[in-house]
PDB file of all heavy atoms in Angstrom:
ATOM      1  N   ALA A   7       0.036  15.918  -3.102  1.00  0.00           N
ATOM      2  CA  ALA A   7      -1.189  16.464  -3.685  1.00  0.00           C
ATOM      3  C   ALA A   7      -0.935  17.878  -4.197  1.00  0.00           C
ATOM      4  O   ALA A   7      -0.343  18.704  -3.491  1.00  0.00           O
ATOM      5  CB  ALA A   7      -2.313  16.476  -2.650  1.00  0.00           C
ATOM      6  N   ALA A   8      -1.360  18.124  -5.438  1.00  0.00           N
ATOM      7  CA  ALA A   8      -1.201  19.440  -6.073  1.00  0.00           C
ATOM      8  C   ALA A   8      -2.542  20.160  -6.069  1.00  0.00           C
ATOM      9  O   ALA A   8      -3.509  19.667  -6.653  1.00  0.00           O
ATOM     10  CB  ALA A   8      -0.724  19.258  -7.517  1.00  0.00           C
ATOM     11  N   ASN A   9      -2.601  21.303  -5.389  1.00  0.00           N
ATOM     12  CA  ASN A   9      -3.811  22.132  -5.423  1.00  0.00           C
ATOM     13  C   ASN A   9      -3.518  23.308  -6.355  1.00  0.00           C
ATOM     14  O   ASN A   9      -2.800  24.228  -5.987  1.00  0.00           O
ATOM     15  CB  ASN A   9      -4.142  22.608  -4.011  1.00  0.00           C
ATOM     16  CG  ASN A   9      -5.303  23.600  -4.011  1.00  0.00           C
ATOM     17  OD1 ASN A   9      -5.972  23.792  -5.035  1.00  0.00           O
ATOM     18  ND2 ASN A   9      -5.535  24.228  -2.867  1.00  0.00           N
ATOM     19  N   LYS A  11      -5.533  25.514  -7.367  1.00  0.00           N
ATOM     20  CA  LYS A  11      -6.356  26.706  -7.065  1.00  0.00           C
ATOM     21  C   LYS A  11      -6.971  27.227  -8.364  1.00  0.00           C
ATOM     22  O   LYS A  11      -7.423  26.434  -9.190  1.00  0.00           O
ATOM     23  CB  LYS A  11      -5.525  27.744  -6.309  1.00  0.00           C
ATOM     24  CG  LYS A  11      -4.862  27.102  -5.076  1.00  0.00           C
ATOM     25  CD  LYS A  11      -4.254  28.078  -4.107  1.00  0.00           C
ATOM     26  CE  LYS A  11      -3.634  27.308  -2.938  1.00  0.00           C
ATOM     27  NZ  LYS A  11      -3.096  28.174  -1.888  1.00  0.00           N
ATOM     28  N   LEU A  93     -11.206  18.456  -2.107  1.00  0.00           N
ATOM     29  CA  LEU A  93     -10.704  19.227  -0.969  1.00  0.00           C
ATOM     30  C   LEU A  93     -11.913  19.788  -0.224  1.00  0.00           C
ATOM     31  O   LEU A  93     -12.842  20.305  -0.851  1.00  0.00           O
ATOM     32  CB  LEU A  93      -9.845  20.412  -1.431  1.00  0.00           C
ATOM     33  CG  LEU A  93      -8.554  20.107  -2.183  1.00  0.00           C
ATOM     34  CD1 LEU A  93      -7.867  21.419  -2.579  1.00  0.00           C
ATOM     35  CD2 LEU A  93      -7.616  19.252  -1.329  1.00  0.00           C
ATOM     36  N   HIS A  96     -10.763  23.962   2.718  1.00  0.00           N
ATOM     37  CA  HIS A  96      -9.496  24.655   2.466  1.00  0.00           C
ATOM     38  C   HIS A  96      -9.556  26.049   3.099  1.00  0.00           C
ATOM     39  O   HIS A  96     -10.615  26.683   3.138  1.00  0.00           O
ATOM     40  CB  HIS A  96      -9.230  24.766   0.961  1.00  0.00           C
ATOM     41  CG  HIS A  96      -7.853  25.270   0.676  1.00  0.00           C
ATOM     42  ND1 HIS A  96      -7.560  26.615   0.649  1.00  0.00           N
ATOM     43  CD2 HIS A  96      -6.689  24.622   0.457  1.00  0.00           C
ATOM     44  CE1 HIS A  96      -6.264  26.759   0.421  1.00  0.00           C
ATOM     45  NE2 HIS A  96      -5.718  25.562   0.289  1.00  0.00           N
ATOM     46  N   SER A  97      -8.420  26.540   3.548  1.00  0.00           N
ATOM     47  CA  SER A  97      -8.441  27.830   4.273  1.00  0.00           C
ATOM     48  C   SER A  97      -8.983  28.957   3.406  1.00  0.00           C
ATOM     49  O   SER A  97      -9.582  29.901   3.918  1.00  0.00           O
ATOM     50  CB  SER A  97      -7.053  28.167   4.788  1.00  0.00           C
ATOM     51  OG  SER A  97      -6.285  28.765   3.787  1.00  0.00           O
ATOM     52  N   GLU A  98      -8.782  28.870   2.081  1.00  0.00           N
ATOM     53  CA  GLU A  98      -9.348  29.932   1.233  1.00  0.00           C
ATOM     54  C   GLU A  98     -10.873  29.838   1.186  1.00  0.00           C
ATOM     55  O   GLU A  98     -11.561  30.851   1.071  1.00  0.00           O
ATOM     56  CB  GLU A  98      -8.715  29.873  -0.165  1.00  0.00           C
ATOM     57  CG  GLU A  98      -7.281  30.411  -0.116  1.00  0.00           C
ATOM     58  CD  GLU A  98      -6.299  29.695  -1.009  1.00  0.00           C
ATOM     59  OE1 GLU A  98      -6.709  29.075  -2.000  1.00  0.00           O
ATOM     60  OE2 GLU A  98      -5.096  29.731  -0.688  1.00  0.00           O
ATOM     61  N   CYS A 127      -9.211  19.898   5.226  1.00  0.00           N
ATOM     62  CA  CYS A 127      -8.142  20.838   5.553  1.00  0.00           C
ATOM     63  C   CYS A 127      -8.451  21.584   6.855  1.00  0.00           C
ATOM     64  O   CYS A 127      -9.573  22.069   7.041  1.00  0.00           O
ATOM     65  CB  CYS A 127      -7.969  21.858   4.431  1.00  0.00           C
ATOM     66  SG  CYS A 127      -7.696  21.115   2.811  1.00  0.00           S
ATOM     67  N   GLU A 168      -2.863  22.767   7.227  1.00  0.00           N
ATOM     68  CA  GLU A 168      -2.318  23.906   6.485  1.00  0.00           C
ATOM     69  C   GLU A 168      -2.452  25.165   7.331  1.00  0.00           C
ATOM     70  O   GLU A 168      -3.521  25.789   7.362  1.00  0.00           O
ATOM     71  CB  GLU A 168      -3.106  24.096   5.176  1.00  0.00           C
ATOM     72  CG  GLU A 168      -2.997  22.931   4.230  1.00  0.00           C
ATOM     73  CD  GLU A 168      -3.259  23.353   2.793  1.00  0.00           C
ATOM     74  OE1 GLU A 168      -4.331  23.913   2.504  1.00  0.00           O
ATOM     75  OE2 GLU A 168      -2.356  23.150   1.962  1.00  0.00           O
ATOM     76  N   ALA A 172       1.017  30.211   6.641  1.00  0.00           N
ATOM     77  CA  ALA A 172       2.080  29.628   5.804  1.00  0.00           C
ATOM     78  C   ALA A 172       1.644  29.471   4.351  1.00  0.00           C
ATOM     79  O   ALA A 172       2.447  29.084   3.506  1.00  0.00           O
ATOM     80  CB  ALA A 172       2.497  28.273   6.371  1.00  0.00           C
ATOM     81  N   ILE A 173       0.388  29.755   4.059  1.00  0.00           N
ATOM     82  CA  ILE A 173      -0.120  29.494   2.709  1.00  0.00           C
ATOM     83  C   ILE A 173       0.186  30.666   1.781  1.00  0.00           C
ATOM     84  O   ILE A 173      -0.266  31.790   2.016  1.00  0.00           O
ATOM     85  CB  ILE A 173      -1.643  29.216   2.745  1.00  0.00           C
ATOM     86  CG1 ILE A 173      -1.908  27.922   3.517  1.00  0.00           C
ATOM     87  CG2 ILE A 173      -2.193  29.130   1.325  1.00  0.00           C
ATOM     88  CD1 ILE A 173      -3.363  27.562   3.647  1.00  0.00           C
ATOM     89  N   GLY A 174       0.987  30.389   0.764  1.00  0.00           N
ATOM     90  CA  GLY A 174       1.304  31.403  -0.243  1.00  0.00           C
ATOM     91  C   GLY A 174       2.173  32.534   0.277  1.00  0.00           C
ATOM     92  O   GLY A 174       2.300  33.573  -0.367  1.00  0.00           O
ATOM     93  N   THR A 175       2.770  32.365   1.436  1.00  0.00           N
ATOM     94  CA  THR A 175       3.530  33.456   2.053  1.00  0.00           C
ATOM     95  C   THR A 175       5.033  33.228   1.996  1.00  0.00           C
ATOM     96  O   THR A 175       5.800  34.134   2.330  1.00  0.00           O
ATOM     97  CB  THR A 175       3.155  33.571   3.558  1.00  0.00           C
ATOM     98  OG1 THR A 175       3.430  32.297   4.173  1.00  0.00           O
ATOM     99  CG2 THR A 175       1.692  33.918   3.734  1.00  0.00           C
ATOM    100  N   GLY A 176       5.449  32.011   1.642  1.00  0.00           N
ATOM    101  CA  GLY A 176       6.867  31.682   1.699  1.00  0.00           C
ATOM    102  C   GLY A 176       7.315  31.299   3.099  1.00  0.00           C
ATOM    103  O   GLY A 176       8.453  30.888   3.310  1.00  0.00           O
ATOM    104  N   LYS A 177       6.408  31.438   4.082  1.00  0.00           N
ATOM    105  CA  LYS A 177       6.750  31.012   5.457  1.00  0.00           C
ATOM    106  C   LYS A 177       6.258  29.580   5.634  1.00  0.00           C
ATOM    107  O   LYS A 177       5.090  29.290   5.382  1.00  0.00           O
ATOM    108  CB  LYS A 177       6.022  31.874   6.484  1.00  0.00           C
ATOM    109  CG  LYS A 177       6.472  33.292   6.538  1.00  0.00           C
ATOM    110  CD  LYS A 177       5.736  34.016   7.662  1.00  0.00           C
ATOM    111  CE  LYS A 177       5.962  35.498   7.556  1.00  0.00           C
ATOM    112  NZ  LYS A 177       4.800  36.278   7.960  1.00  0.00           N
ATOM    113  N   GLY A 211       0.625  21.273   4.451  1.00  0.00           N
ATOM    114  CA  GLY A 211       0.583  22.236   3.354  1.00  0.00           C
ATOM    115  C   GLY A 211       0.899  23.635   3.834  1.00  0.00           C
ATOM    116  O   GLY A 211       0.587  24.001   4.980  1.00  0.00           O
ATOM    117  N   GLY A 212       1.513  24.437   2.958  1.00  0.00           N
ATOM    118  CA  GLY A 212       1.864  25.811   3.305  1.00  0.00           C
ATOM    119  C   GLY A 212       3.284  26.099   2.868  1.00  0.00           C
ATOM    120  O   GLY A 212       4.233  25.745   3.572  1.00  0.00           O
ATOM    121  N   SER A 213       3.415  26.696   1.660  1.00  0.00           N
ATOM    122  CA  SER A 213       4.727  27.071   1.124  1.00  0.00           C
ATOM    123  C   SER A 213       5.700  25.894   1.030  1.00  0.00           C
ATOM    124  O   SER A 213       6.911  26.057   1.218  1.00  0.00           O
ATOM    125  CB  SER A 213       5.344  28.225   1.922  1.00  0.00           C
ATOM    126  OG  SER A 213       4.545  29.391   1.779  1.00  0.00           O
ATOM    127  N   VAL A 214       5.174  24.721   0.721  1.00  0.00           N
ATOM    128  CA  VAL A 214       6.058  23.570   0.467  1.00  0.00           C
ATOM    129  C   VAL A 214       6.712  23.770  -0.902  1.00  0.00           C
ATOM    130  O   VAL A 214       6.063  24.189  -1.864  1.00  0.00           O
ATOM    131  CB  VAL A 214       5.269  22.244   0.474  1.00  0.00           C
ATOM    132  CG1 VAL A 214       6.182  21.067   0.085  1.00  0.00           C
ATOM    133  CG2 VAL A 214       4.637  22.006   1.842  1.00  0.00           C
ATOM    134  N   ASN A 215       8.010  23.495  -0.990  1.00  0.00           N
ATOM    135  CA  ASN A 215       8.708  23.585  -2.274  1.00  0.00           C
ATOM    136  C   ASN A 215       9.785  22.504  -2.350  1.00  0.00           C
ATOM    137  O   ASN A 215       9.928  21.716  -1.409  1.00  0.00           O
ATOM    138  CB  ASN A 215       9.286  24.996  -2.492  1.00  0.00           C
ATOM    139  CG  ASN A 215      10.251  25.382  -1.381  1.00  0.00           C
ATOM    140  OD1 ASN A 215      11.043  24.549  -0.926  1.00  0.00           O
ATOM    141  ND2 ASN A 215      10.183  26.626  -0.938  1.00  0.00           N
ATOM    142  N   LEU A 232       0.547  18.833   0.666  1.00  0.00           N
ATOM    143  CA  LEU A 232      -0.479  19.452  -0.178  1.00  0.00           C
ATOM    144  C   LEU A 232       0.119  20.787  -0.631  1.00  0.00           C
ATOM    145  O   LEU A 232       0.388  21.655   0.193  1.00  0.00           O
ATOM    146  CB  LEU A 232      -1.776  19.655   0.615  1.00  0.00           C
ATOM    147  CG  LEU A 232      -2.936  20.367  -0.082  1.00  0.00           C
ATOM    148  CD1 LEU A 232      -3.315  19.691  -1.392  1.00  0.00           C
ATOM    149  CD2 LEU A 232      -4.152  20.427   0.845  1.00  0.00           C
ATOM    150  N   VAL A 233       0.338  20.899  -1.932  1.00  0.00           N
ATOM    151  CA  VAL A 233       1.177  21.991  -2.440  1.00  0.00           C
ATOM    152  C   VAL A 233       0.390  22.888  -3.390  1.00  0.00           C
ATOM    153  O   VAL A 233      -0.279  22.398  -4.308  1.00  0.00           O
ATOM    154  CB  VAL A 233       2.399  21.395  -3.192  1.00  0.00           C
ATOM    155  CG1 VAL A 233       3.345  22.498  -3.644  1.00  0.00           C
ATOM    156  CG2 VAL A 233       3.130  20.387  -2.300  1.00  0.00           C
ATOM    157  N   GLY A 234       0.495  24.208  -3.175  1.00  0.00           N
ATOM    158  CA  GLY A 234      -0.155  25.166  -4.068  1.00  0.00           C
ATOM    159  C   GLY A 234       0.831  25.655  -5.116  1.00  0.00           C
ATOM    160  O   GLY A 234       1.083  24.995  -6.129  1.00  0.00           O
ATOM    161  N   GLY A 235       1.411  26.832  -4.889  1.00  0.00           N
ATOM    162  CA  GLY A 235       2.236  27.510  -5.883  1.00  0.00           C
ATOM    163  C   GLY A 235       3.285  26.638  -6.562  1.00  0.00           C
ATOM    164  O   GLY A 235       3.431  26.677  -7.788  1.00  0.00           O
ATOM    165  N   ALA A 236       3.999  25.834  -5.770  1.00  0.00           N
ATOM    166  CA  ALA A 236       5.101  25.049  -6.338  1.00  0.00           C
ATOM    167  C   ALA A 236       4.612  23.848  -7.142  1.00  0.00           C
ATOM    168  O   ALA A 236       5.425  23.141  -7.745  1.00  0.00           O
ATOM    169  CB  ALA A 236       6.052  24.599  -5.225  1.00  0.00           C
ATOM    170  N   SER A 237       3.293  23.626  -7.166  1.00  0.00           N
ATOM    171  CA  SER A 237       2.772  22.513  -7.989  1.00  0.00           C
ATOM    172  C   SER A 237       2.352  22.972  -9.374  1.00  0.00           C
ATOM    173  O   SER A 237       1.912  22.166 -10.197  1.00  0.00           O
ATOM    174  CB  SER A 237       1.573  21.854  -7.291  1.00  0.00           C
ATOM    175  OG  SER A 237       0.415  22.673  -7.379  1.00  0.00           O
TER     176      SER A 237
HETATM  177  P1  13P B 301       1.103  27.239  -1.198  1.00  0.00           P
HETATM  178  O1  13P B 301       1.870  25.953  -1.402  1.00  0.00           O
HETATM  179  O2  13P B 301       1.057  28.107  -2.403  1.00  0.00           O
HETATM  180  O3  13P B 301       1.524  27.935   0.052  1.00  0.00           O
HETATM  181  O4  13P B 301      -0.434  26.792  -0.963  1.00  0.00           O
HETATM  182  C1  13P B 301      -0.710  25.810  -0.030  1.00  0.00           C
HETATM  183  C2  13P B 301      -2.117  25.399  -0.191  1.00  0.00           C
HETATM  184  O5  13P B 301      -3.028  26.149   0.094  1.00  0.00           O
HETATM  185  C3  13P B 301      -2.383  24.058  -0.722  1.00  0.00           C
HETATM  186  O6  13P B 301      -3.719  23.710  -0.579  1.00  0.00           O
END
Side-chain angles (χ1 to χ4, degrees):
N9 174 10
K11 307 192 180 184
L93 297 179
H96 189 275
S97 83
E98 286 143 24
C127 305
E168 297 204 303
I173 295 178
T175 58
K177 292 184 191 145
S213 296
V214 175
N215 58 40
L232 176 55
V233 184
S237 74

